[in-house]
Amino acid sequence: MRPEAERALAGVDHIIHGGDIGQPGIITALRRIAPVTTIRGNIDSGDWASAYADTELVRLVGRTIFVLHDLKTLRINPVERGIDIIISGHSHVPKVDTVNNVLYVNPGSAGPRRFKLPITLATLDITPDGLRPVIHDLAAR
């Protein structure tokens, strides 16, 4: 794991991985930092990857979070389901957006550079005042 990523994740309470893990050792390393929720991405194959689902629903600090790899495959209505946050990966393009009071976060990719995209991860503070997502550019550290 990149030292920049470890510094950015210092003090987090929970890690959510949006897929494209790449190798099982990544999740092992992340679990040394905090509990991890992860899903399988399209590059995750082999026996080790079968341990991960295609989607996960997790509740943290009173918020409901739906995790899937490719946002284009979202087949549920998050508003109707009471989902507060959607976390996805696939495109590796870091993005934060709010639609119908649902926060959408793609943290980008903290692994090897993909295409010409930045190397990033996202943190999300959940406070009584609301949600504060931040995209961290690891190459700038």
Side-chain angles (χ1 to χ4, degrees), residues 83-102:
I83 293 170
D84 301 294
I85 305 156
I86 303 281
I87 297 181
S88 63
H90 191 59
S91 73
H92 305 279
V93 176
K95 186 174 182 179
V96 173
D97 197 11
T98 301
V99 178
N100 295 325
N101 292 318
V102 176

Side-chain angles (χ1 to χ4, degrees), residues 18-121:
D20 284 353
I21 303 161
Q23 57 183 331
I26 298 297
I27 301 305
T28 301
L30 291 174
R31 285 186 178 132
R32 288 194 287 266
I33 298 168
V36 177
T37 298
T38 190
I39 50 97
R40 176 177 52 240
N42 61 291
I43 71 161
D44 300 322
S45 59
D47 292 341
W48 68 269
S50 65
Y52 302 102
D54 292 325
T55 64
E56 287 286 349
L57 187 66
V58 62
R59 189 147 174 88
L60 297 170
V61 196
R63 299 296 184 132
T64 303
I65 304 166
F66 187 75
V67 188
L68 77 164
H69 185 59
D70 186 350
L71 190 56
K72 291 178 183 177
T73 66
L74 183 65
R75 299 292 180 250
I76 62 166
N77 181 323
V79 175
E80 288 177 4
R81 300 277 298 268
I83 293 170
D84 301 294
I85 305 156
I86 303 281
I87 297 181
S88 63
H90 191 59
S91 73
H92 305 279
V93 176
K95 186 174 182 179
V96 173
D97 197 11
T98 301
V99 178
N100 295 325
N101 292 318
V102 176
L103 177 66
Y104 289 78
V105 178
N106 184 324
S109 178
R113 186 173 305 277
R114 299 181 67 90
F115 316 107
K116 293 184 179 185
L117 296 171
I119 299 169
T120 61
L121 61 78

